[in-house]
Coordinates of all heavy atoms in Angstrom, one line a residue:
M730 N 20.2 25.1 -19.5 CA 19.2 24.3 -18.8 C 20.0 23.0 -18.3 O 20.8 22.5 -19.0 CB 18.1 23.9 -19.7 CG 17.0 24.9 -19.9 SD 15.5 24.1 -20.2 CE 14.4 25.4 -20.0
S731 N 19.6 22.5 -17.2 CA 20.2 21.3 -16.6 C 19.1 20.2 -16.5 O 17.9 20.5 -16.5 CB 20.7 21.6 -15.2 OG 21.7 22.6 -15.3
N732 N 19.5 19.0 -16.4 CA 18.6 17.9 -16.2 C 18.4 17.6 -14.8 O 19.4 17.5 -14.0 CB 19.2 16.6 -16.9 CG 19.2 16.8 -18.4 OD1 18.3 17.3 -19.0 ND2 20.2 16.4 -19.1
Y733 N 17.2 17.4 -14.4 CA 16.9 17.0 -13.0 C 15.9 15.9 -13.0 O 15.2 15.6 -14.0 CB 16.2 18.2 -12.3 CG 17.1 19.4 -12.1 CD1 17.1 20.4 -13.1 CD2 18.0 19.5 -11.1 CE1 18.0 21.5 -12.9 CE2 18.9 20.5 -11.0 CZ 18.9 21.6 -11.9 OH 19.7 22.6 -11.8
E734 N 15.8 15.2 -11.8 CA 14.8 14.2 -11.7 C 14.3 14.3 -10.2 O 15.0 14.6 -9.3 CB 15.2 12.8 -12.0 CG 16.3 12.2 -11.1 CD 16.7 10.8 -11.6 OE1 16.5 10.5 -12.8 OE2 17.2 10.1 -10.7
T735 N 13.0 14.0 -10.1 CA 12.3 14.0 -8.8 C 11.6 12.7 -8.6 O 10.8 12.3 -9.5 CB 11.4 15.2 -8.7 OG1 12.1 16.4 -8.8 CG2 10.7 15.2 -7.3
V736 N 11.8 12.0 -7.5 CA 11.0 10.9 -7.2 C 10.1 11.3 -6.0 O 10.7 11.8 -5.0 CB 11.8 9.7 -6.8 CG1 11.0 8.5 -6.3 CG2 12.7 9.2 -8.0
F737 N 8.8 11.2 -6.1 CA 8.0 11.6 -4.9 C 7.1 10.4 -4.6 O 6.8 9.6 -5.4 CB 7.2 12.9 -5.1 CG 6.3 12.9 -6.3 CD1 5.0 12.6 -6.2 CD2 6.8 13.2 -7.6 CE1 4.1 12.7 -7.3 CE2 6.0 13.3 -8.7 CZ 4.6 13.0 -8.5
I738 N 6.7 10.3 -3.4 CA 5.9 9.2 -2.8 C 4.6 9.8 -2.3 O 4.5 10.8 -1.6 CB 6.6 8.6 -1.6 CG1 8.0 8.2 -2.1 CG2 5.8 7.4 -1.1 CD1 8.9 7.8 -0.9
L739 N 3.5 9.1 -2.8 CA 2.1 9.5 -2.4 C 1.6 8.5 -1.4 O 1.9 7.3 -1.4 CB 1.3 9.6 -3.6 CG 1.7 10.6 -4.7 CD1 0.9 10.5 -5.9 CD2 1.5 12.0 -4.1
N740 N 0.7 9.0 -0.6 CA 0.0 8.2 0.4 C -0.7 7.0 -0.2 O -1.4 7.1 -1.2 CB -1.0 9.1 1.1 CG -1.5 8.5 2.4 OD1 -1.7 7.3 2.6 ND2 -1.7 9.4 3.4
P741 N -0.5 5.8 0.5 CA -1.0 4.6 -0.1 C -2.6 4.5 0.0 O -3.1 3.6 -0.7 CB -0.4 3.5 0.7 CG 0.0 4.1 2.0 CD 0.3 5.5 1.7
V742 N -3.2 5.3 0.7 CA -4.7 5.2 0.9 C -5.4 6.1 -0.2 O -6.6 6.1 -0.2 CB -5.2 5.6 2.3 CG1 -4.6 4.7 3.3 CG2 -4.8 7.1 2.6
L743 N -4.7 6.8 -1.1 CA -5.3 7.6 -2.1 C -5.9 6.7 -3.2 O -5.4 5.6 -3.5 CB -4.3 8.5 -2.7 CG -3.7 9.6 -1.8 CD1 -2.6 10.4 -2.6 CD2 -4.7 10.5 -1.3
S744 N -7.0 7.2 -3.8 CA -7.6 6.5 -4.9 C -6.7 6.7 -6.2 O -5.9 7.6 -6.2 CB -9.0 6.9 -5.1 OG -9.0 8.2 -5.6
E745 N -7.0 6.0 -7.2 CA -6.3 6.2 -8.5 C -6.5 7.6 -9.0 O -5.6 8.2 -9.5 CB -6.8 5.1 -9.5 CG -5.8 4.8 -10.5 CD -6.2 3.6 -11.3 OE1 -6.4 2.5 -10.8 OE2 -6.3 3.7 -12.6
N746 N -7.7 8.1 -8.9 CA -8.0 9.4 -9.4 C -7.2 10.5 -8.6 O -6.7 11.5 -9.2 CB -9.5 9.7 -9.3 CG -10.3 9.0 -10.4 OD1 -9.7 8.5 -11.4 ND2 -11.6 8.8 -10.1
Q747 N -7.2 10.3 -7.3 CA -6.4 11.2 -6.4 C -4.9 11.2 -6.8 O -4.3 12.3 -6.8 CB -6.7 10.9 -5.0 CG -8.1 11.2 -4.5 CD -8.3 10.7 -3.1 OE1 -7.9 9.5 -2.8 NE2 -8.9 11.5 -2.3
I748 N -4.4 10.1 -7.1 CA -3.0 10.0 -7.4 C -2.7 10.7 -8.7 O -1.8 11.5 -8.9 CB -2.6 8.5 -7.5 CG1 -2.6 7.8 -6.1 CG2 -1.2 8.3 -8.2 CD1 -2.5 6.3 -6.1
E749 N -3.6 10.4 -9.7 CA -3.5 11.1 -11.0 C -3.5 12.6 -10.9 O -2.7 13.4 -11.5 CB -4.5 10.6 -12.0 CG -4.3 9.2 -12.5 CD -5.5 8.8 -13.4 OE1 -6.2 9.6 -14.0 OE2 -5.7 7.5 -13.5
E750 N -4.4 13.1 -10.0 CA -4.6 14.6 -9.8 C -3.3 15.1 -9.2 O -2.8 16.2 -9.5 CB -5.8 14.9 -8.9 CG -7.1 14.9 -9.7 CD -7.1 15.9 -10.7 OE1 -6.7 17.1 -10.5 OE2 -7.5 15.6 -11.9
A751 N -2.8 14.4 -8.2 CA -1.5 14.9 -7.5 C -0.4 15.0 -8.5 O 0.4 15.9 -8.5 CB -1.2 14.0 -6.3
V752 N -0.2 14.0 -9.4 CA 0.8 14.0 -10.3 C 0.6 15.1 -11.3 O 1.6 15.9 -11.7 CB 0.9 12.6 -11.1 CG1 1.9 12.7 -12.2 CG2 1.3 11.5 -10.1
K753 N -0.6 15.3 -11.8 CA -0.9 16.4 -12.7 C -0.6 17.8 -12.1 O -0.1 18.7 -12.7 CB -2.4 16.4 -13.1 CG -2.7 15.3 -14.1 CD -4.2 15.4 -14.5 CE -4.6 14.2 -15.4 NZ -6.0 14.2 -15.6
K754 N -0.9 17.9 -10.8 CA -0.6 19.2 -10.1 C 0.9 19.5 -10.1 O 1.4 20.6 -10.3 CB -1.1 19.2 -8.7 CG -2.6 19.5 -8.6 CD -3.0 19.5 -7.1 CE -4.5 19.7 -7.0 NZ -4.9 19.8 -5.6
Y755 N 1.7 18.4 -9.8 CA 3.2 18.6 -9.7 C 3.7 18.9 -11.1 O 4.6 19.8 -11.3 CB 3.8 17.4 -9.1 CG 5.2 17.6 -8.7 CD1 5.5 18.3 -7.5 CD2 6.3 17.2 -9.5 CE1 6.8 18.5 -7.1 CE2 7.6 17.4 -9.0 CZ 7.8 18.1 -7.9 OH 9.1 18.3 -7.5
V756 N 3.2 18.2 -12.2 CA 3.7 18.5 -13.5 C 3.3 19.9 -13.9 O 4.1 20.6 -14.5 CB 3.1 17.4 -14.5 CG1 3.3 17.8 -15.9 CG2 3.7 16.1 -14.3
S757 N 2.1 20.3 -13.6 CA 1.6 21.7 -13.9 C 2.5 22.7 -13.2 O 2.8 23.8 -13.8 CB 0.2 21.9 -13.5 OG -0.7 21.1 -14.2
L758 N 2.9 22.4 -12.0 CA 3.8 23.3 -11.2 C 5.1 23.5 -12.0 O 5.6 24.6 -12.2 CB 4.0 22.8 -9.8 CG 5.1 23.6 -9.0 CD1 4.6 25.0 -8.7 CD2 5.4 22.8 -7.8
L759 N 5.7 22.4 -12.4 CA 6.9 22.4 -13.1 C 6.8 23.2 -14.4 O 7.6 24.0 -14.8 CB 7.5 21.0 -13.4 CG 7.9 20.2 -12.1 CD1 8.3 18.8 -12.5 CD2 9.1 20.9 -11.5
E760 N 5.7 22.9 -15.2 CA 5.5 23.5 -16.4 C 5.3 25.0 -16.3 O 5.7 25.8 -17.1 CB 4.4 22.9 -17.2 CG 4.7 21.5 -17.7 CD 3.6 20.7 -18.3 OE1 2.4 21.1 -18.1 OE2 3.9 19.7 -19.0
S761 N 4.6 25.4 -15.2 CA 4.4 26.8 -15.0 C 5.7 27.6 -14.7 O 5.8 28.8 -14.9 CB 3.4 27.1 -13.8 OG 4.1 26.7 -12.6
K762 N 6.7 26.8 -14.3 CA 8.1 27.4 -14.0 C 9.0 27.2 -15.2 O 10.2 27.2 -15.0 CB 8.6 26.8 -12.7 CG 7.8 27.2 -11.5 CD 8.4 26.8 -10.2 CE 7.6 27.2 -9.0 NZ 7.7 28.6 -8.7
K763 N 8.4 26.9 -16.3 CA 9.1 26.8 -17.6 C 10.1 25.6 -17.7 O 11.1 25.6 -18.3 CB 9.8 28.1 -17.9 CG 8.9 29.2 -18.1 CD 9.6 30.5 -18.6 CE 8.7 31.6 -18.8 NZ 7.7 31.9 -17.9
C764 N 9.7 24.5 -17.0 CA 10.4 23.3 -17.1 C 9.9 22.4 -18.2 O 8.7 22.5 -18.5 CB 10.3 22.4 -15.8 SG 10.9 23.3 -14.3
K765 N 10.8 21.7 -18.8 CA 10.4 20.8 -19.9 C 10.4 19.3 -19.4 O 11.4 18.8 -19.0 CB 11.3 20.9 -21.1 CG 11.0 20.0 -22.2 CD 12.0 20.0 -23.3 CE 11.7 19.0 -24.4 NZ 12.8 18.7 -25.3
I766 N 9.2 18.7 -19.3 CA 9.1 17.3 -18.8 C 9.7 16.4 -19.9 O 9.3 16.4 -21.0 CB 7.7 16.9 -18.5 CG1 7.0 17.9 -17.6 CG2 7.6 15.5 -18.0 CD1 7.7 18.0 -16.2
V767 N 10.7 15.6 -19.5 CA 11.4 14.7 -20.4 C 10.8 13.3 -20.3 O 10.6 12.6 -21.3 CB 12.9 14.7 -20.1 CG1 13.6 13.7 -21.0 CG2 13.5 16.1 -20.3
H768 N 10.5 12.9 -19.1 CA 10.0 11.5 -18.9 C 9.2 11.5 -17.6 O 9.6 12.1 -16.6 CB 11.2 10.6 -18.8 CG 10.9 9.2 -18.6 ND1 10.3 8.4 -19.5 CD2 11.0 8.4 -17.5 CE1 10.1 7.2 -19.0 NE2 10.6 7.1 -17.8
K769 N 8.1 10.7 -17.6 CA 7.3 10.4 -16.4 C 7.2 8.9 -16.3 O 7.0 8.2 -17.3 CB 5.9 11.0 -16.6 CG 5.8 12.5 -16.5 CD 4.4 13.0 -16.4 CE 3.6 12.7 -17.7 NZ 2.2 13.2 -17.6
E770 N 7.3 8.4 -15.1 CA 7.2 7.0 -14.9 C 6.5 6.7 -13.5 O 6.8 7.3 -12.5 CB 8.6 6.4 -14.8 CG 8.6 4.9 -15.0 CD 10.0 4.4 -15.2 OE1 10.8 5.1 -15.8 OE2 10.3 3.3 -14.7
D771 N 5.5 5.9 -13.6 CA 4.8 5.4 -12.4 C 5.4 4.1 -11.9 O 5.3 3.1 -12.6 CB 3.3 5.2 -12.7 CG 2.5 4.7 -11.6 OD1 3.0 4.5 -10.5 OD2 1.3 4.3 -11.8
W772 N 6.0 4.1 -10.7 CA 6.6 2.9 -10.2 C 5.7 2.1 -9.4 O 6.0 1.0 -9.0 CB 7.8 3.3 -9.4 CG 9.0 3.8 -10.2 CD1 9.1 3.9 -11.5 CD2 10.2 4.4 -9.6 NE1 10.3 4.4 -11.9 CE2 11.0 4.7 -10.7 CE3 10.6 4.6 -8.3 CZ2 12.2 5.3 -10.6 CZ3 11.9 5.2 -8.2 CH2 12.7 5.5 -9.3
G773 N 4.5 2.6 -9.1 CA 3.5 1.8 -8.4 C 3.7 1.8 -6.9 O 4.5 2.5 -6.3
L774 N 2.9 0.9 -6.3 CA 3.0 0.8 -4.8 C 4.2 0.0 -4.4 O 4.4 -1.1 -4.9 CB 1.7 0.1 -4.3 CG 1.5 0.0 -2.8 CD1 1.4 1.3 -2.2 CD2 0.3 -0.9 -2.5
K775 N 5.0 0.6 -3.6 CA 6.2 -0.1 -3.1 C 6.2 -0.1 -1.5 O 5.8 0.9 -0.9 CB 7.5 0.6 -3.6 CG 7.6 0.8 -5.0 CD 8.1 -0.5 -5.6 CE 8.3 -0.3 -7.1 NZ 8.6 -1.5 -7.8
K776 N 6.8 -1.1 -1.0 CA 6.9 -1.2 0.5 C 8.2 -0.5 0.9 O 9.2 -0.6 0.2 CB 7.0 -2.7 0.9 CG 6.9 -2.9 2.3 CD 6.8 -4.4 2.7 CE 6.8 -4.5 4.2 NZ 6.0 -5.6 4.7
F777 N 8.0 0.2 2.0 CA 9.2 1.0 2.5 C 10.1 0.1 3.3 O 9.7 -1.0 3.9 CB 8.7 2.1 3.5 CG 7.8 3.1 2.9 CD1 6.9 3.8 3.7 CD2 8.0 3.5 1.6 CE1 6.1 4.8 3.1 CE2 7.2 4.5 1.0 CZ 6.2 5.2 1.8
A778 N 11.4 0.4 3.4 CA 12.3 -0.3 4.2 C 12.1 0.0 5.7 O 12.4 -0.9 6.5 CB 13.7 0.1 3.8
F779 N 11.5 1.1 6.0 CA 11.1 1.5 7.4 C 9.8 2.3 7.3 O 9.5 2.9 6.3 CB 12.3 2.2 8.1 CG 12.8 3.4 7.3 CD1 12.2 4.6 7.4 CD2 13.8 3.2 6.4 CE1 12.7 5.7 6.7 CE2 14.3 4.3 5.7 CZ 13.8 5.5 5.8
T780 N 9.2 2.5 8.4 CA 7.9 3.2 8.5 C 8.2 4.7 8.3 O 9.1 5.3 8.9 CB 7.3 2.9 9.9 OG1 7.0 1.5 10.0 CG2 5.9 3.6 10.0
I781 N 7.3 5.3 7.5 CA 7.4 6.8 7.3 C 6.0 7.3 7.6 O 5.0 6.9 7.0 CB 7.8 7.2 5.9 CG1 9.1 6.6 5.5 CG2 7.7 8.7 5.7 CD1 9.5 6.8 4.1
Q782 N 5.9 8.2 8.6 CA 4.6 8.7 9.1 C 3.5 7.6 9.3 O 2.4 7.7 8.8 CB 4.1 9.8 8.1 CG 4.9 11.0 8.0 CD 4.4 12.0 7.1 OE1 3.5 11.8 6.3 NE2 5.0 13.2 7.1
N783 N 3.9 6.6 9.9 CA 3.1 5.4 10.3 C 2.5 4.7 9.0 O 1.5 4.0 9.1 CB 1.9 5.9 11.2 CG 2.3 6.4 12.5 OD1 3.2 5.9 13.1 ND2 1.7 7.5 13.0
K784 N 3.2 4.8 7.9 CA 2.9 4.1 6.7 C 4.0 3.1 6.4 O 5.2 3.4 6.6 CB 2.7 5.1 5.5 CG 1.7 6.2 5.8 CD 0.3 5.7 5.7 CE -0.8 6.8 5.7 NZ -1.0 7.3 7.0
N785 N 3.6 2.0 5.8 CA 4.6 1.0 5.4 C 4.8 0.9 3.9 O 5.7 0.1 3.4 CB 4.2 -0.4 5.9 CG 4.2 -0.5 7.4 OD1 5.1 0.0 8.1 ND2 3.2 -1.1 8.0
S786 N 4.1 1.7 3.1 CA 4.2 1.6 1.7 C 3.7 3.0 1.1 O 3.1 3.8 1.8 CB 3.4 0.5 1.1 OG 2.0 0.7 1.4
G787 N 4.0 3.2 -0.2 CA 3.5 4.4 -0.8 C 3.6 4.2 -2.3 O 4.3 3.3 -2.8
F788 N 2.9 5.1 -3.1 CA 3.0 5.1 -4.5 C 4.1 6.0 -5.0 O 4.1 7.2 -4.7 CB 1.6 5.6 -5.1 CG 0.5 4.7 -4.9 CD1 -0.4 4.9 -3.9 CD2 0.4 3.6 -5.7 CE1 -1.5 4.0 -3.7 CE2 -0.7 2.7 -5.6 CZ -1.6 2.9 -4.6
Y789 N 5.1 5.4 -5.7 CA 6.2 6.1 -6.2 C 6.0 6.6 -7.6 O 5.5 5.9 -8.4 CB 7.5 5.2 -6.2 CG 8.1 4.9 -4.9 CD1 7.4 4.2 -3.9 CD2 9.4 5.4 -4.6 CE1 8.0 4.0 -2.7 CE2 10.0 5.1 -3.4 CZ 9.3 4.4 -2.4 OH 9.9 4.2 -1.2
H790 N 6.5 7.9 -7.9 CA 6.5 8.5 -9.2 C 7.8 9.1 -9.5 O 8.4 9.8 -8.6 CB 5.3 9.5 -9.3 CG 4.0 8.9 -9.4 ND1 3.4 8.5 -10.5 CD2 3.1 8.5 -8.4 CE1 2.2 8.0 -10.3 NE2 2.0 8.0 -9.0
L791 N 8.3 9.0 -10.7 CA 9.5 9.6 -11.2 C 9.2 10.6 -12.2 O 8.4 10.3 -13.2 CB 10.4 8.5 -11.7 CG 11.6 9.0 -12.6 CD1 12.7 9.6 -11.6 CD2 12.3 7.9 -13.4
L792 N 9.8 11.8 -12.1 CA 9.7 12.8 -13.1 C 11.1 13.3 -13.5 O 11.9 13.6 -12.6 CB 8.9 14.0 -12.7 CG 7.4 13.9 -12.5 CD1 6.8 15.1 -11.9 CD2 6.7 13.6 -13.8
Q793 N 11.4 13.3 -14.8 CA 12.7 13.8 -15.3 C 12.4 15.0 -16.1 O 11.4 15.0 -16.9 CB 13.4 12.8 -16.1 CG 13.8 11.6 -15.3 CD 14.5 10.5 -16.1 OE1 14.1 10.3 -17.3 NE2 15.4 9.7 -15.5
Y794 N 13.1 16.1 -15.9 CA 12.8 17.4 -16.5 C 14.1 18.2 -16.7 O 15.1 18.0 -16.1 CB 11.8 18.1 -15.8 CG 12.0 18.3 -14.3 CD1 12.7 19.4 -13.8 CD2 11.7 17.3 -13.4 CE1 12.9 19.6 -12.5 CE2 12.0 17.5 -12.0 CZ 12.6 18.6 -11.6 OH 12.8 18.7 -10.2
E795 N 14.0 19.2 -17.6 CA 15.0 20.1 -17.9 C 14.5 21.5 -17.3 O 13.4 21.9 -17.5 CB 15.3 20.3 -19.4 CG 15.8 19.0 -20.0 CD 16.0 19.2 -21.5 OE1 15.6 20.2 -22.1 OE2 16.6 18.3 -22.1
A796 N 15.4 22.1 -16.6 CA 15.1 23.4 -16.0 C 16.3 24.2 -15.7 O 17.4 23.7 -15.7 CB 14.3 23.1 -14.7
E797 N 16.1 25.5 -15.4 CA 17.1 26.4 -14.9 C 17.4 26.0 -13.4 O 16.6 25.5 -12.7 CB 16.7 27.8 -15.0 CG 16.4 28.3 -16.4 CD 17.6 28.3 -17.3 OE1 18.8 28.4 -16.8 OE2 17.5 28.1 -18.5
G798 N 18.6 26.3 -13.0 CA 19.1 25.9 -11.7 C 18.3 26.5 -10.5 O 18.2 25.9 -9.4
D799 N 17.7 27.7 -10.7 CA 17.0 28.3 -9.6 C 15.7 27.7 -9.3 O 15.1 28.0 -8.2 CB 16.9 29.8 -9.9 CG 16.1 30.1 -11.1 OD1 16.0 29.2 -12.0 OD2 15.7 31.2 -11.3
I800 N 15.2 26.8 -10.1 CA 13.9 26.1 -9.9 C 14.0 25.2 -8.6 O 13.0 25.1 -7.9 CB 13.5 25.3 -11.1 CG1 12.1 24.7 -10.9 CG2 14.4 24.1 -11.3 CD1 11.0 25.6 -11.0
I801 N 15.2 24.7 -8.3 CA 15.3 23.7 -7.2 C 15.0 24.3 -5.9 O 14.3 23.7 -5.1 CB 16.7 23.1 -7.2 CG1 17.0 22.4 -8.6 CG2 16.9 22.1 -6.1 CD1 15.9 21.3 -9.0
N802 N 15.4 25.5 -5.7 CA 15.1 26.2 -4.4 C 13.6 26.3 -4.1 O 13.2 26.2 -3.0 CB 15.8 27.6 -4.3 CG 17.3 27.5 -4.2 OD1 17.8 26.5 -3.7 ND2 18.0 28.5 -4.6
S803 N 12.9 26.6 -5.2 CA 11.4 26.8 -5.0 C 10.7 25.4 -4.8 O 9.6 25.4 -4.2 CB 10.8 27.5 -6.2 OG 10.9 26.7 -7.4
L804 N 11.3 24.3 -5.2 CA 10.7 23.0 -5.0 C 11.0 22.4 -3.7 O 10.3 21.6 -3.2 CB 11.1 22.1 -6.1 CG 10.7 22.4 -7.5 CD1 11.4 21.5 -8.5 CD2 9.2 22.5 -7.7
E805 N 12.1 22.8 -3.0 CA 12.5 22.2 -1.8 C 11.9 23.0 -0.6 O 12.6 23.6 0.2 CB 14.0 22.2 -1.7 CG 14.7 21.3 -2.6 CD 16.2 21.3 -2.5 OE1 16.8 22.2 -1.9 OE2 16.8 20.3 -3.0
V806 N 10.6 22.9 -0.5 CA 9.9 23.6 0.6 C 9.3 22.6 1.5 O 8.8 21.6 1.2 CB 8.8 24.5 0.0 CG1 8.0 25.2 1.1 CG2 9.4 25.5 -0.8

């Protein structure tokens, strides 16, 4: 198993409940692929250096996990 980390950004207009649900879905996806979650961290709302899809900010989340190497191809969609 190798160590991986993913930082993903969620839309700034989502409610707190919607953000929690999105994070849970991603964690569930990883766990269903036999990944072991090592660390989760909520970085909160951050301003972008440049506009992305007409947004100037987003909610950042970090996930660190252990997984087999073939998991990465299925996540990069």
Side-chain angles (χ1 to χ4, degrees):
M730 284 208 165
S731 299
N732 293 318
Y733 296 96
E734 66 180 25
T735 300
V736 174
F737 59 96
I738 306 168
L739 298 170
N740 195 322
V742 300
L743 296 177
S744 71
E745 206 170 302
N746 289 338
Q747 290 171 314
I748 292 168
E749 287 176 23
E750 279 299 313
V752 172
K753 283 181 187 176
K754 280 184 183 180
Y755 197 76
V756 168
S757 295
L758 172 69
L759 291 173
E760 290 174 341
S761 73
K762 297 187 179 284
K763 298 184 177 48
C764 297
K765 178 185 174 194
I766 304 299
V767 176
H768 180 72
K769 291 191 292 187
E770 193 171 327
D771 175 7
W772 289 353
L774 185 65
K775 302 281 184 188
K776 188 170 180 149
F777 298 151
F779 52 89
T780 302
I781 300 174
Q782 294 182 349
N783 297 319
K784 305 283 188 285
N785 295 318
S786 61
F788 288 103
Y789 283 66
H790 285 271
L791 167 72
L792 289 175
Q793 295 175 330
Y794 50 95
E795 295 177 352
E797 297 296 331
D799 58 345
I800 185 73
I801 301 305
N802 289 335
S803 66
L804 296 175
E805 292 181 342
V806 177

